[in-house]
Structure formats: C-alpha cells, structure tokens
Amino acid sequence: MAQGGTVGTSLESGVLEGVSRLLEPVDAELARRYPGDPGTRQPVHTVYVPADVVTPGTVREWGEAAGALLDAHAPDAATLAAVLGMDEELAGPVHARLRDKLRREPVEDLRIDFEDGYGIRSDDEEDAAAARAAELIAAAFAEGAEGPAPFCAGIRMKCMEAAVRDRGIRTLDLFLTGLLEAGGLPDGLVLTLPKVTYPEQVTAMARLCEEFEKARGLDAGRIGFEIQIETTQSILGADGRATVARLIDAAEGRATSLHYGTFDYSASCGVSAAYQAMDHPAADHAKAVMQVAAAGTGVRLSDGSTNIVPTGDRAQVHDAWRLHHSLVRRSLARAYYQGWDMHPGHLPTRYAAVYAFYREGMRRAGERLAAYVGRAQGDVMDEPATARALSGYLLRGLDCGALDSAEVAEVSGLDRAELDRLAGR
C-alpha cells in the first residue's frame, strides 16, 4: 500500500520496457507509412493539354480565354453572385481575386498529355513531342521566364500495359533526360502514371525512377509520381482485397498523389455515358476508398472532371458554370482540394468556388485558432487535430490566393510561420 499520501503503482519496472520492445516495430511502421501531410503547397487543379497542342503560350492563352469568357458572361461581382447563388458581399473580393488569378497564375498545375489526349502516334512523332515537352517545361521554370507560369508541371505518360509500355517508358526517359540537359529537374516537376490495375505496375514505375536516378547521379528518391485511379482493379483487386493502399505501398515512398479519373472509371463500372459524373455513387465509393487509404500517408488526393464545357450563348455558359461550380464545392466539402479542369471556361468557376470556400470560413477558422492558442473558453473547444485542420485550411487559402497574410493575421493573430507550426509543417 502507498505510504505518506503518495500514489502507488502495481506494475514492475520491467513491464514498461517489455511493452516498448513489443511495440518498437509498430512504432517504426507507423512512422514509415503515416508521415502526415508533406507540408507543401498543393495545386487546386490540374489542366491536361495534349502534347501536340501545347505551346509556350498555353498557360497565358488559357488565362486570356477564361478572362474573355468572364468579361462576356459575368463582368461584375453582382452577375457572378446571381449566376452562382453566391452572397453578393462575398462575390466582390472573389470576383476581383479570380480576375487577378487569371492574369497572374491561371493554371496552377499543367500536365502535358501523352496518353488519352494524345493517342497513338509514330515513334518519331512522339520522340519529337517528348523532347519538345522537356524544352517547354524547362523554359516555364527558368529564372526570368516571361508570362504566367504554372506552379507545377510535367507529363502524363502512357500506362504500363503491354501494348504501350515500351512507348511510355521511352517517352518518360526522353522527357527526363531532356530536362536534365536543359539544366536539371525542376522542383515543380510532376509525373502521372495512368490506368493502373496491379501494384506491380506501380513497382515497375518506381524501379524506372530508381534506375534513372542511378544513371544520372541523382539523389535517391528525387523522382516521385502520381497514380491515376481510373480502373475498377485499382479499387478492388481480383482477389477481393482493396487495392489502393497496396498501390501506395508499391510506390516505395515515391507516390505523391492519387488522381481520380471520372470517365474511365465510370465506364469500367458500366455506367452509361450520360450518367458518368464526379457525383455518381460509383465515383463517391471509389473516392471514399482512396481517401481512407491515403489518410496520413502524405499522398494527396485529386478529384476528376466534368466534360460539360461552358460554350454557346449566355444561358448555356451559365448552366455549365453552375454545374462546375457545384461539383467543385462538393469536392472541397469532401476534402478533395484538387480537381481536373478540361477547358479554359472552367477556370472562372474553379477559382470562384475555391476562393469562396476559403473566404467564407476564414473569420471563423481564425477565431477558433486564436482561441485555441490562447486556451480561451468559447462555444467550441478544439483539440490539436482540429487546430491542425484549421491552420491547414487557412494555409491552403493563402497558397492559392484566396486569402492574404494580413487579413489572416487580423482574424487569427497568427503569421505564416505560426500557422505552419500548428499545421505540423
């Protein structure tokens, strides 16, 4: 019995050591598999442009086309608010900021496409296109480059299926070699592996990256890649087991994100063309599996796209905008912070939805963080995990241009460094 008012214990001192030894492998596995968010900026979208269409002016041209459509069909904040059902007070700063975005950085993530958007070409033609893609990406990231540049850029190669495997690998090799010869691999480089069905295909991609690094004297692990989820086998394997987590593991630490492919996945499920959409139940199931598999791993998520483009008369453009805006908002609410835009006309509603999402919640998030930091009593008692989410929310808003540091500091009392610390970056 404890004496003198002290609290006694019953377990012997060696028990704690034994438990620690038992769980050491688990501790190491948790640290390896679940490192948490990488703490870097994530683009809000990806724009795919076929390799035979992309030019040095593509990013600028997309911004100009989007701006012209905005001028024609929502030239002021009041019109934008009426079209999208947005609060007019919120629409003012949203409209102004998206205009600036279309001039400054209309495309956050550019993918030069050698897969579905490009098709099958002669070897000579694709060789030339791969070399040209390397030149374009190198120029876009070069110091002093003219015109708006994407934050991220890279290629989507052909998949690892037997019919196109060798062609895809050659294009990857030509592209990466061209980048090195032009000055090196840029920090914003992104590679996309499509139509994955088996983990071994991801392992093959990881091995290619490893061998390229060795051949060119690069640091081990320098090259990462995205995995496109657009087949049923990438969600549920032939053995009945969920596949996504196995794909992440097969990448051997090189997987950077999972991208949902709306139309290929829907078609593989037998969904009729008229019903293939980001909000179909089949899509929601696949994306829920992706979300759980990627949680905590540092592998990010991207939603798919809509093929309804804003063209035609004003009524048609407004209808397409409303659809796209609602789908982007739906994705954001479900923690899919990135998507795929197929047409310049999608840019106004991409940024309108994203900017409104962060601006409308900025004050409440800032107040909750201020209360958390000050341990003040309020109507919500937040925990560390919630504080991480709140700070991550504000950081995403800062990264994309929806918010600025001064207004975030005003509502939260926190600067960027403090937000990074609370977010675990």
Side-chain angles (χ1 to χ4, degrees):
M1 178 178 296
Q3 301 293 323
T6 59
V7 178
T9 58
S10 301
L11 296 176
E12 296 180 1
S13 60
V15 172
L16 181 59
E17 296 175 2
V19 169
S20 295
R21 285 195 299 273
L22 175 68
L23 293 180
E24 278 177 1
V26 173
D27 295 338
E29 186 74 347
L30 283 171
R32 182 182 75 83
R33 288 184 180 272
Y34 301 102
D37 189 87
T40 54
R41 176 182 170 186
Q42 180 181 9
V44 302
H45 71 165
T46 302
V47 164
Y48 286 83
V49 179
D52 59 331
V53 174
V54 68
T55 72
T58 290
V59 171
R60 173 182 51 79
E61 291 162 3
W62 271 60
E64 290 173 349
L69 201 65
L70 189 67
D71 288 340
H73 299 293
D76 51 55
T79 306
L80 185 72
V83 173
L84 302 181
M86 188 183 297
D87 178 80
E88 287 195 22
E89 185 176 349
L90 177 64
V94 166
H95 193 272
R97 286 171 181 271
L98 82 85
R99 272 195 180 283
D100 176 68
K101 183 74 167 182
L102 295 178
R103 290 190 295 268
R104 178 175 51 82
E105 191 186 50
V107 174
E108 290 200 0
D109 183 21
L110 174 67
R111 200 71 70 254
I112 299 176
D113 192 15
F114 286 88
E115 207 236 349
D116 284 348
Y118 183 72
I120 303 299
R121 309 295 180 96
S122 71
D123 283 339
D124 287 346
E125 185 176 359
E126 186 158 341
D127 281 358
R132 181 167 166 271
E135 294 172 359
L136 290 174
I137 298 300
F141 286 113
E143 186 175 350
E146 295 183 6
F151 169 65
C152 298
I155 66 168
R156 177 169 70 166
M157 58 190 280
K158 288 178 170 63
C159 69
M160 288 292 177
E161 293 177 356
V164 295
R165 182 187 304 140
D166 290 351
R167 179 63 260 181
I169 293 172
R170 179 171 173 80
T171 296
L172 176 68
D173 190 1
L174 286 167
F175 174 70
L176 292 176
T177 300
L179 282 178
L180 283 178
E181 293 176 352
L185 302 186
D187 290 339
L189 176 66
V190 188
L191 306 173
T192 305
L193 177 66
K195 291 184 174 56
V196 173
T197 51
Y198 280 80
E200 289 81 0
Q201 294 168 329
V202 176
T203 300
M205 181 66 172
R207 200 65 65 245
L208 288 171
C209 294
E210 179 184 23
E211 292 301 325
F212 188 91
E213 290 163 353
K214 290 178 180 177
R216 298 306 299 255
L218 300 174
D219 292 340
R222 170 66 181 85
I223 304 172
F225 56 90
E226 303 169 336
I227 302 170
Q228 198 150 12
I229 304 297
E230 49 186 339
T231 68
T232 55
Q233 295 92 342
S234 62
I235 295 296
L236 189 69
D239 57 3
R241 291 193 294 169
T243 314
V244 184
R246 297 171 62 201
L247 300 181
I248 294 172
D249 195 46
E252 300 174 356
R254 296 180 184 270
T256 57
S257 58
L258 305 174
H259 282 230
Y260 176 69
T262 305
F263 303 104
D264 279 304
Y265 186 83
S266 298
S268 70
C269 288
V271 178
S272 298
Y275 297 96
Q276 293 175 3
M278 292 162 61
D279 57 354
H280 190 280
D284 283 343
H285 169 258
K287 288 183 286 187
V289 174
M290 291 166 59
Q291 190 169 44
V292 174
T297 64
V299 177
R300 287 168 163 167
L301 301 169
S302 177
D303 208 337
S305 59
T306 175
N307 57 4
I308 307 300
V309 298
T311 58
D313 60 27
R314 175 168 283 201
Q316 291 173 301
V317 170
H318 285 180
D319 284 345
W321 271 353
R322 277 188 285 268
L323 173 63
H324 184 243
H325 180 265
S326 69
L327 290 171
V328 175
R329 283 299 305 239
R330 187 178 190 271
S331 297
L332 291 167
R334 286 160 172 76
Y336 269 75
Y337 300 115
Q338 185 176 351
W340 170 12
D341 291 326
M342 298 182 69
H343 186 273
H346 287 145
L347 300 185
T349 37
R350 168 67 61 183
Y351 293 121
V354 170
Y355 285 9
F357 177 76
Y358 291 113
R359 293 198 65 80
E360 67 192 15
M362 173 184 64
R363 179 165 297 279
R364 184 59 174 151
E367 290 171 347
R368 287 175 66 178
L369 272 178
Y372 174 82
V373 171
R375 295 296 191 272
Q377 297 292 324
D379 58 349
V380 179
M381 297 296 291
D382 288 317
E383 297 182 351
T386 305
R388 284 196 297 273
L390 289 167
S391 53
Y393 170 87
L394 293 176
L395 287 167
R396 288 179 183 277
L398 288 168
D399 285 342
C400 70
L403 314 175
D404 62 57
S405 298
E407 59 187 354
V408 169
E410 181 181 352
V411 298
S412 68
L414 303 171
D415 60 20
R416 176 74 191 230
E418 291 168 312
L419 290 172
D420 283 334
R421 178 182 60 79
L422 286 169
R425 293 188 174 187

